Amino acid sequence: MKKYFAESELIINSDGSIFHLHVKPENLADKIILVGDPGRVALVSSHFNTIENEVESREFHSVTGTYCGKRIMVTSTGIGCDNIDIVMNEIDALANIDFETRTEKENHRQLEIVRIGTCGGLQMHTQEGTFICSETSIGFDGLLNFYEGRNSVCNLTMERALLNHLGWTGNICAPAPYVIDADEELVKRIAQNDMVRGITVACGGFFGPQGRQLRIPLADPRQNEKVESFEFNGRCITNYEMESSALAGLAKLMGHKATTVCMVIANRRAGKANTGYKNHIDSLIRLVLDRI
Ligand code: R1P
Ligand code: URA
């Protein structure tokens, strides 16, 4: 018998839309662009040729439309992996659960999801303005550990190598970092030859978890030095942001294709940041719209 999703587990608003996003099943597109900043939704949808739906609730702002004949939905997630848990579960429910019967649909619908964000660069070749496509994401956030299939989708050898390299024990590594490879075909198509293909660490915070110390000391003052020097099969960690791990992990568990592309706005090695990035991120948006 098919599993029935109770009202408390799958919350549907009275207008038939999903609880947080307020999107209805008919407005979900197969191609989805996620952005952190709700203001970035207007930038993405300004390139759309037609718009069929626009809805806003809390930090979640969604626009569905078409770009060069492709039906795309752009949604803002706000900051952090906790919000990615909400957005991924709700878009997957919109795609794969029948809201009338509250049961899973017969045929799986696969979505293609690209997150466009900003990040901190960790290597000399990831200076401000560089576009990085995450081939692999490392979660310092712990979210995926709450899902049963975590070990079946993670790169456990790389996880162990990273933990040994960091030398973390006790509270700082509980839960341990998880390592997830993005969809290979999607990375190839989105990154092409003009983006760095990187290993991205997604952190559960912008300051301490990214080794940024202001007034209070860090548990591991050498964190960034260790993260920057980690090597696995000739690859190094390129950037820090705050969502790509949960996105890559949940997409794998749910059977969707996903990756993250970010523009570097701060290079941690050089100690430099650029807050005037709004125009340059538009070039990244155009590349993704053409390639998704
Ligand atoms: C922190 O400033 C935020 O910027 C990055 C981080 O992942 C975090 O969400 O991405 P967005 O620019 O997409 O928000
Ligand atoms: N976003 C992050 O999460 N970190 C940075 O350093 C810059 C943008």
PDB file of all heavy atoms in Angstrom, residues 262-279:
ATOM      1  N   CYS A 262      29.288  29.571  -7.920  1.00  0.00           N
ATOM      2  CA  CYS A 262      29.421  30.766  -7.086  1.00  0.00           C
ATOM      3  C   CYS A 262      30.418  31.735  -7.673  1.00  0.00           C
ATOM      4  O   CYS A 262      31.396  31.330  -8.307  1.00  0.00           O
ATOM      5  CB  CYS A 262      29.938  30.390  -5.696  1.00  0.00           C
ATOM      6  SG  CYS A 262      28.679  29.720  -4.611  1.00  0.00           S
ATOM      7  N   MET A 263      30.196  33.015  -7.429  1.00  0.00           N
ATOM      8  CA  MET A 263      31.188  34.022  -7.769  1.00  0.00           C
ATOM      9  C   MET A 263      31.954  34.366  -6.492  1.00  0.00           C
ATOM     10  O   MET A 263      31.340  34.597  -5.440  1.00  0.00           O
ATOM     11  CB  MET A 263      30.505  35.267  -8.308  1.00  0.00           C
ATOM     12  CG  MET A 263      31.489  36.248  -8.844  1.00  0.00           C
ATOM     13  SD  MET A 263      30.674  37.713  -9.439  1.00  0.00           S
ATOM     14  CE  MET A 263      30.507  38.582  -7.936  1.00  0.00           C
ATOM     15  N   VAL A 264      33.265  34.377  -6.589  1.00  0.00           N
ATOM     16  CA  VAL A 264      34.079  34.704  -5.414  1.00  0.00           C
ATOM     17  C   VAL A 264      33.969  36.205  -5.144  1.00  0.00           C
ATOM     18  O   VAL A 264      34.223  37.021  -6.032  1.00  0.00           O
ATOM     19  CB  VAL A 264      35.569  34.335  -5.650  1.00  0.00           C
ATOM     20  CG1 VAL A 264      36.413  34.720  -4.438  1.00  0.00           C
ATOM     21  CG2 VAL A 264      35.719  32.851  -5.966  1.00  0.00           C
ATOM     22  N   ILE A 265      33.558  36.558  -3.907  1.00  0.00           N
ATOM     23  CA  ILE A 265      33.494  37.987  -3.564  1.00  0.00           C
ATOM     24  C   ILE A 265      34.532  38.366  -2.496  1.00  0.00           C
ATOM     25  O   ILE A 265      34.720  39.530  -2.197  1.00  0.00           O
ATOM     26  CB  ILE A 265      32.082  38.415  -3.093  1.00  0.00           C
ATOM     27  CG1 ILE A 265      31.654  37.649  -1.837  1.00  0.00           C
ATOM     28  CG2 ILE A 265      31.052  38.260  -4.200  1.00  0.00           C
ATOM     29  CD1 ILE A 265      30.597  38.390  -1.035  1.00  0.00           C
ATOM     30  N   ALA A 266      35.191  37.349  -1.923  1.00  0.00           N
ATOM     31  CA  ALA A 266      36.231  37.628  -0.927  1.00  0.00           C
ATOM     32  C   ALA A 266      37.311  36.568  -1.083  1.00  0.00           C
ATOM     33  O   ALA A 266      36.982  35.389  -1.169  1.00  0.00           O
ATOM     34  CB  ALA A 266      35.638  37.558   0.477  1.00  0.00           C
ATOM     35  N   ASN A 267      38.556  36.985  -1.171  1.00  0.00           N
ATOM     36  CA  ASN A 267      39.625  35.979  -1.190  1.00  0.00           C
ATOM     37  C   ASN A 267      40.301  35.979   0.171  1.00  0.00           C
ATOM     38  O   ASN A 267      40.894  36.971   0.581  1.00  0.00           O
ATOM     39  CB  ASN A 267      40.629  36.213  -2.319  1.00  0.00           C
ATOM     40  CG  ASN A 267      41.616  35.054  -2.387  1.00  0.00           C
ATOM     41  OD1 ASN A 267      42.579  34.998  -1.617  1.00  0.00           O
ATOM     42  ND2 ASN A 267      41.347  34.093  -3.259  1.00  0.00           N
ATOM     43  N   ARG A 268      40.164  34.856   0.862  1.00  0.00           N
ATOM     44  CA  ARG A 268      40.597  34.786   2.247  1.00  0.00           C
ATOM     45  C   ARG A 268      42.127  34.817   2.365  1.00  0.00           C
ATOM     46  O   ARG A 268      42.656  35.311   3.343  1.00  0.00           O
ATOM     47  CB  ARG A 268      40.036  33.515   2.896  1.00  0.00           C
ATOM     48  CG  ARG A 268      38.515  33.395   2.780  1.00  0.00           C
ATOM     49  CD  ARG A 268      37.793  34.494   3.554  1.00  0.00           C
ATOM     50  NE  ARG A 268      38.143  34.493   4.955  1.00  0.00           N
ATOM     51  CZ  ARG A 268      37.679  33.616   5.861  1.00  0.00           C
ATOM     52  NH1 ARG A 268      36.818  32.693   5.487  1.00  0.00           N
ATOM     53  NH2 ARG A 268      38.069  33.674   7.119  1.00  0.00           N
ATOM     54  N   ARG A 269      42.808  34.307   1.358  1.00  0.00           N
ATOM     55  CA  ARG A 269      44.275  34.293   1.414  1.00  0.00           C
ATOM     56  C   ARG A 269      44.822  35.695   1.230  1.00  0.00           C
ATOM     57  O   ARG A 269      45.754  36.115   1.902  1.00  0.00           O
ATOM     58  CB  ARG A 269      44.823  33.402   0.308  1.00  0.00           C
ATOM     59  CG  ARG A 269      44.782  31.954   0.674  1.00  0.00           C
ATOM     60  CD  ARG A 269      45.726  31.206  -0.203  1.00  0.00           C
ATOM     61  NE  ARG A 269      46.049  29.939   0.392  1.00  0.00           N
ATOM     62  CZ  ARG A 269      46.803  29.023  -0.187  1.00  0.00           C
ATOM     63  NH1 ARG A 269      47.295  29.235  -1.393  1.00  0.00           N
ATOM     64  NH2 ARG A 269      47.051  27.908   0.409  1.00  0.00           N
ATOM     65  N   ALA A 270      44.210  36.432   0.267  1.00  0.00           N
ATOM     66  CA  ALA A 270      44.689  37.781  -0.030  1.00  0.00           C
ATOM     67  C   ALA A 270      44.125  38.796   0.962  1.00  0.00           C
ATOM     68  O   ALA A 270      44.573  39.941   1.006  1.00  0.00           O
ATOM     69  CB  ALA A 270      44.304  38.151  -1.464  1.00  0.00           C
ATOM     70  N   GLY A 271      43.098  38.381   1.741  1.00  0.00           N
ATOM     71  CA  GLY A 271      42.485  39.308   2.703  1.00  0.00           C
ATOM     72  C   GLY A 271      41.694  40.402   2.023  1.00  0.00           C
ATOM     73  O   GLY A 271      41.522  41.493   2.560  1.00  0.00           O
ATOM     74  N   LYS A 272      41.182  40.120   0.809  1.00  0.00           N
ATOM     75  CA  LYS A 272      40.466  41.147   0.028  1.00  0.00           C
ATOM     76  C   LYS A 272      38.997  40.768  -0.164  1.00  0.00           C
ATOM     77  O   LYS A 272      38.660  39.581  -0.279  1.00  0.00           O
ATOM     78  CB  LYS A 272      41.084  41.266  -1.372  1.00  0.00           C
ATOM     79  CG  LYS A 272      42.531  41.679  -1.376  1.00  0.00           C
ATOM     80  CD  LYS A 272      42.629  43.173  -1.580  1.00  0.00           C
ATOM     81  CE  LYS A 272      44.081  43.614  -1.686  1.00  0.00           C
ATOM     82  NZ  LYS A 272      44.408  44.729  -0.831  1.00  0.00           N
ATOM     83  N   ALA A 273      38.139  41.795  -0.227  1.00  0.00           N
ATOM     84  CA  ALA A 273      36.713  41.553  -0.512  1.00  0.00           C
ATOM     85  C   ALA A 273      36.198  42.619  -1.461  1.00  0.00           C
ATOM     86  O   ALA A 273      36.735  43.729  -1.518  1.00  0.00           O
ATOM     87  CB  ALA A 273      35.900  41.586   0.775  1.00  0.00           C
ATOM     88  N   ASN A 274      35.153  42.255  -2.210  1.00  0.00           N
ATOM     89  CA  ASN A 274      34.543  43.197  -3.148  1.00  0.00           C
ATOM     90  C   ASN A 274      33.028  43.175  -2.942  1.00  0.00           C
ATOM     91  O   ASN A 274      32.376  42.179  -3.219  1.00  0.00           O
ATOM     92  CB  ASN A 274      34.906  42.776  -4.587  1.00  0.00           C
ATOM     93  CG  ASN A 274      34.163  43.587  -5.620  1.00  0.00           C
ATOM     94  OD1 ASN A 274      33.550  44.607  -5.297  1.00  0.00           O
ATOM     95  ND2 ASN A 274      34.208  43.140  -6.870  1.00  0.00           N
ATOM     96  N   THR A 275      32.482  44.276  -2.445  1.00  0.00           N
ATOM     97  CA  THR A 275      31.038  44.307  -2.189  1.00  0.00           C
ATOM     98  C   THR A 275      30.259  44.836  -3.401  1.00  0.00           C
ATOM     99  O   THR A 275      29.041  44.788  -3.414  1.00  0.00           O
ATOM    100  CB  THR A 275      30.709  45.177  -0.952  1.00  0.00           C
ATOM    101  OG1 THR A 275      31.294  46.458  -1.162  1.00  0.00           O
ATOM    102  CG2 THR A 275      31.224  44.556   0.321  1.00  0.00           C
ATOM    103  N   GLY A 276      30.946  45.306  -4.413  1.00  0.00           N
ATOM    104  CA  GLY A 276      30.256  45.858  -5.593  1.00  0.00           C
ATOM    105  C   GLY A 276      30.142  44.826  -6.701  1.00  0.00           C
ATOM    106  O   GLY A 276      30.509  45.078  -7.844  1.00  0.00           O
ATOM    107  N   TYR A 277      29.618  43.625  -6.356  1.00  0.00           N
ATOM    108  CA  TYR A 277      29.636  42.505  -7.313  1.00  0.00           C
ATOM    109  C   TYR A 277      28.369  42.346  -8.125  1.00  0.00           C
ATOM    110  O   TYR A 277      28.276  41.478  -8.976  1.00  0.00           O
ATOM    111  CB  TYR A 277      29.913  41.198  -6.550  1.00  0.00           C
ATOM    112  CG  TYR A 277      28.910  40.885  -5.455  1.00  0.00           C
ATOM    113  CD1 TYR A 277      27.697  40.276  -5.744  1.00  0.00           C
ATOM    114  CD2 TYR A 277      29.182  41.221  -4.134  1.00  0.00           C
ATOM    115  CE1 TYR A 277      26.775  40.009  -4.743  1.00  0.00           C
ATOM    116  CE2 TYR A 277      28.265  40.961  -3.125  1.00  0.00           C
ATOM    117  CZ  TYR A 277      27.066  40.358  -3.437  1.00  0.00           C
ATOM    118  OH  TYR A 277      26.155  40.094  -2.452  1.00  0.00           O
ATOM    119  N   LYS A 278      27.342  43.180  -7.880  1.00  0.00           N
ATOM    120  CA  LYS A 278      26.004  42.939  -8.452  1.00  0.00           C
ATOM    121  C   LYS A 278      26.020  42.831  -9.988  1.00  0.00           C
ATOM    122  O   LYS A 278      25.359  41.985 -10.565  1.00  0.00           O
ATOM    123  CB  LYS A 278      25.019  44.027  -7.993  1.00  0.00           C
ATOM    124  CG  LYS A 278      24.765  44.010  -6.483  1.00  0.00           C
ATOM    125  CD  LYS A 278      23.478  43.304  -6.115  1.00  0.00           C
ATOM    126  CE  LYS A 278      23.491  42.652  -4.771  1.00  0.00           C
ATOM    127  NZ  LYS A 278      23.304  43.340  -3.550  1.00  0.00           N
ATOM    128  N   ASN A 279      26.820  43.697 -10.658  1.00  0.00           N
ATOM    129  CA  ASN A 279      26.847  43.641 -12.130  1.00  0.00           C
ATOM    130  C   ASN A 279      27.514  42.375 -12.630  1.00  0.00           C
ATOM    131  O   ASN A 279      27.055  41.743 -13.573  1.00  0.00           O
ATOM    132  CB  ASN A 279      27.592  44.851 -12.712  1.00  0.00           C
ATOM    133  CG  ASN A 279      26.759  46.093 -12.581  1.00  0.00           C
ATOM    134  OD1 ASN A 279      25.542  46.000 -12.387  1.00  0.00           O
ATOM    135  ND2 ASN A 279      27.400  47.240 -12.644  1.00  0.00           N
TER     136      ASN A 279
END
